[in-house]
Amino acid sequence: MKSFGILLKNELKLNIRNMNMVIFAVIMPLLVLIVLGFIYGTKPAADGVSYTFMEQSFGALCCISICAGGLMGLPLVVSEYRERKILKRLKVTPVSPAKLLLVEFLIYVIYCVVSMFTLFTAAMLFWKIKIHGSFLLFLGSWLLTMVSTLSIGLLVGGIAKNMKSASVIACILYFPMLIFSGATLPYEVMPVAMQKIISIFPLTQGIQLMKAVFLGLPIENALLPVTIMIAVTLICFGISVKCFKWE
Amino acid sequence: MQTVINVEQLSKSYGNLLAVDKISLSVKCGSVYGLLGANGAGKSTMIECILGTKDPDSGTVSVLGYNSKKDRRRLFQNVGVQFQEGDYQPEIKVSELCEESACLYEAPADWKKLCEQFGIGNKIDHAVKSLSGGERQRLFIVLALIPNPELVFLDELTTGLDAKARRDVWKILSELKSKGLTIFLTSHFMDEVEALCDEICILRNGKAVFFGTVEQAKKASGYENFEDAYLMLSGEEVEKE
């Protein structure tokens, strides 16, 4: 347990020193929030609805850091450690793969938490957003979306051959999910045909769920996205620990 | 005397290249064992098969009575390893690297003291990448000793060190040996092997061509000088003019 804390502390320091994630997972979502804030302000999302556009987009904004951490940061850092033979050095120590992966995983959870917190504070102070639905349900669906997306990244990092293939896989996952799942382009402004196609992304499911509970809208079928996300998490975790490659 | 490493009939090939060919060896507790040979003779492959970072094609390996692959986590509580090309996180500092290594063990040595001993005590706040080659080499020996090991593997331990630093490292290793540490090393410096090793094994194209002490090697080859003896036994002898 003590070793877990020390590893987490040092790896987090190294990660922050690298600055990439500070920019992509904390500053970038904040910039998108500010741009949206200047465009839409406190305007309602549509005629006759009681919630604002900013409130409707809040869940999606939280997913920018989830995407950056889970689909870029996490797979790249794990495969970099493999390529640089840092994992080989760790293989001849008593550390377990599960502990190593969990440490790296938690670092990105921390980024997501920080990002969510700064977004919420900024949006509340400047654009007066408030939660119409249940705060706890929102937190739950945010957590589920985050954990399932990060676990996909963990799987990619855990089993990719080298940094190059990890970065190709990461790009294939990252860009379509970031742009089309509703994390940057609002789902609502897309044509209906496109909405249908992108709803296969687990992230889209998560964003829709977060939006519904944030706005207090009726949830028609919460069981499906929840089951999908839990299943993705368990499968990805299982495979990445079981098939972990040191070299 | 107790056997710490026991290797039997170990073979490993890469494609058509037979890197290690049916080698058996055993290392006694508290001794210094030197694995010698030219570049590409199979030393690193041998070490990696013993450590379980490579799978041998055939043969058995036991280290401290454990199977290095199956009992990895128990075995490496008591074994320190320094690889030829050790790597580290790009921005990491000496203190962070030592702390991260120390936290993995149940009863680690005091890494600050080890850094002092190896002459890098004033560098602990520096980034590892800013160290000189020699300082980095000493840091990696420190890392191998952090577990407070019963057995340590040192692959080309003093490559890149100046004469004084090499002597210092020998002295520290001799002291640790007198406290019961078993050392398995590879080296290209025959003066070092002569100064440290109780037993040696010389590899040539993946085959073990000599087992014994330094004195026995001199006798077997007919040379007074150990380096000449090594060159003759390893088949690297310089053509006489």
Side-chain angles (χ1 to χ4, degrees), chain B residues 6-26:
Chain B
N6 197 25
V7 177
E8 264 165 54
Q9 297 290 310
L10 186 87
S11 293
K12 170 80 184 172
S13 53
Y14 304 109
N16 285 330
L17 179 79
L18 196 55
V20 171
D21 188 8
K22 294 202 197 83
I23 295 182
S24 304
L25 60 83
S26 68

Side-chain angles (χ1 to χ4, degrees), chain B residues 108-124:
Chain B
D110 180 351
W111 57 265
K112 279 185 192 141
K113 221 190 244 168
L114 280 172
C115 286
E116 293 286 344
Q117 254 187 315
F118 281 85
I120 49 172
N122 57 343
K123 299 280 180 183
I124 57 175

Side-chain angles (χ1 to χ4, degrees), chain A residues 11 17 84 88 91 95, chain B residues 48 72 87 96 100 103:
Chain A
E11 289 297 311
R17 214 171 280 161
R84 294 183 68 110
K88 181 179 168 183
K91 190 180 181 183
V95 75
Chain B
E48 293 213 25
R72 187 193 139 244
D87 215 335
E96 290 164 346
E100 270 204 17
C103 79

Side-chain angles (χ1 to χ4, degrees), chain A residues 177-189:
Chain A
M177 280 217 212
L178 183 71
I179 296 168
F180 298 116
S181 66
T184 31
L185 283 179
Y187 182 82
E188 290 69 25
V189 304

